[in-house]
Every structure is written in C-alpha cells, then in structure tokens.
C-alpha cells in the first residue's frame, strides 16, 4: 500500500490541474483579449490576442448590474470558448439589427447568466457602435434547438451556455 501513495498523489495532482486548466486559461486571456480589442478599435483587422490565436475580438459584452465586462471572440469553436465568450457565426454579426447569438462556458465567462434578471440591461459594443438590450427572459432548451440562432428581423441577443450551472458534467 505505501508504494501506491506516490502514484495516487501524482494522479490526484493531475486531476486538480486538469480541473483548473480551463478557468486559468479564461483568466489569463482577459488582458490579452482587451489589448486585441483596443487594437481592433484602432483599425487593425482581425487583431489576434496572441500570435498563434485562431480567433479575435469582435465585440464587447457588458452586464452593468452584475459588473460583467467581457470581450466576445470570433467563432464559437471549442478553442475560442476556452478564452472567452464567442459569437456564433451562423447568427447575425454583432452590431446588426437581427438575432446575435453568443455562447460561453457556464463555469467561466458565462457563469453570471444564472444571476440575470428580467429587465437587466446588456450592452453589446461592436466596431460599429453599441446596442442596448433588456433581458426579456431566460429559457432552458435542448441543444437541438438551432432555430434560436435564426434571423428574426429584429434586434435580439441570444446568450447560450450549458445548464445546470453547478453541474459537474
């Protein structure tokens, strides 16, 4: 049994590191995303947060009552979602007067969604300007509901994350 203790310690340390990896990447990316957003506002096209990044900031999302201020990345792939909320490219581009969809991880950047209340203000700033939204409601839907990403012809913001918020899986 004593010979197993070092092995268990190594396995335990690896499990802890794996559990902290996504939140660590999310926090480390914040200042890099902010710097890239500043460069984008100054006119740089596809201002990548770091040299090998396959994404770039396309908007800034704020929830003033909750003190949230996030940079929205291009393309909601698994890679970009590790570093921030991301625009779902099948939806309208941020700044357009249609249904803009943004996805984020429930345990990092979009954890604040559980505290949103009807009437809360959300501000989406794109390179074209700001659009102010009011939360009309929240809904838990099956992941197959891709109709929620379709154009609606009116200014809407659809925020997507996994549920339930405290789930381990």
């Amino acid at each position: 049994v004593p010979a197993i203790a070092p092995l268990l310690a190594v396995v335990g340390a690896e499990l802890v590191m794996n559990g902290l990896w996504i939140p660590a990447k999310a926090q480390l990316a914040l200042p890099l995303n902010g710097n890239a957003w500043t460069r984008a506002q100054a006119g740089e096209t596809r201002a990548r947060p770091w040299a090998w990044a396959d994404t770039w900031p396309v908007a800034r999302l704020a929830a003033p009552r909750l003190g949230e201020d996030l940079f929205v990345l291009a393309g909601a792939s698994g890679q970009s979602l590790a570093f921030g909320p991301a625009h779902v490219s099948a939806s309208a581009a941020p700044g357009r007067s249609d249904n803009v969809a943004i996805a984020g991880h429930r345990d990092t950047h979009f954890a604040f969604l559980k505290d949103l209340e009807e009437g809360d203000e959300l501000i989406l700033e794109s390179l074209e300007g700001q659009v102010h939204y009011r939360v009309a409601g929240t809904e838990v839907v099956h992941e197959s509901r891709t109709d929620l990403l379709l154009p609606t012809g009116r200014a809407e913001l659809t925020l997507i994350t996994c549920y339930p918020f405290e789930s381990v899986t």
Side-chain angles (χ1 to χ4, degrees):
V1 175
I4 294 176
L7 176 63
L8 290 175
V10 168
V11 170
E14 184 175 340
L15 289 172
V16 168
M17 292 304 293
N18 283 337
L20 296 175
W21 181 238
I22 293 278
K25 287 193 325 188
Q27 288 303 309
L28 292 171
L30 286 173
L32 298 173
N33 291 341
N35 180 281
W37 176 247
T38 300
R39 295 191 336 263
Q41 288 179 308
E44 184 177 331
T45 304
R46 295 186 176 192
R48 296 183 295 171
W50 49 92
W52 61 93
D54 60 356
T55 188
W56 52 92
V58 294
R60 190 173 188 161
L61 175 65
R65 184 182 69 80
L66 299 173
E68 292 294 329
D69 188 10
L70 305 164
F71 300 99
V72 179
L73 302 173
S77 70
Q79 293 294 325
S80 60
L81 285 169
F83 299 104
H87 171 249
V88 178
S89 56
S91 71
R96 301 290 161 102
S97 186
D98 209 327
N99 183 23
V100 178
I102 299 172
H105 284 301
R106 69 173 177 227
D107 56 351
T108 56
H109 299 100
F110 270 13
F112 78 94
L113 292 184
K114 72 177 178 276
D115 299 319
L116 277 180
E117 297 174 357
E118 194 170 313
D120 277 351
E121 179 184 34
L122 296 171
I123 304 168
L124 186 63
E125 177 186 357
S126 70
L127 294 175
E128 289 78 35
Q130 290 186 351
V131 180
H132 293 253
Y133 300 92
R134 290 272 173 212
V135 175
T138 60
E139 187 176 356
V140 177
V141 300
H142 191 268
E143 64 187 274
S144 64
R145 290 280 314 273
T146 56
D147 61 295
L148 298 172
L149 306 176
L150 295 175
T152 61
R154 59 187 181 275
E156 290 185 346
L157 181 61
T158 303
L159 302 180
I160 305 163
T161 195
C162 293
Y163 185 84
F165 287 97
E166 290 80 22
S167 178
V168 177
T169 58

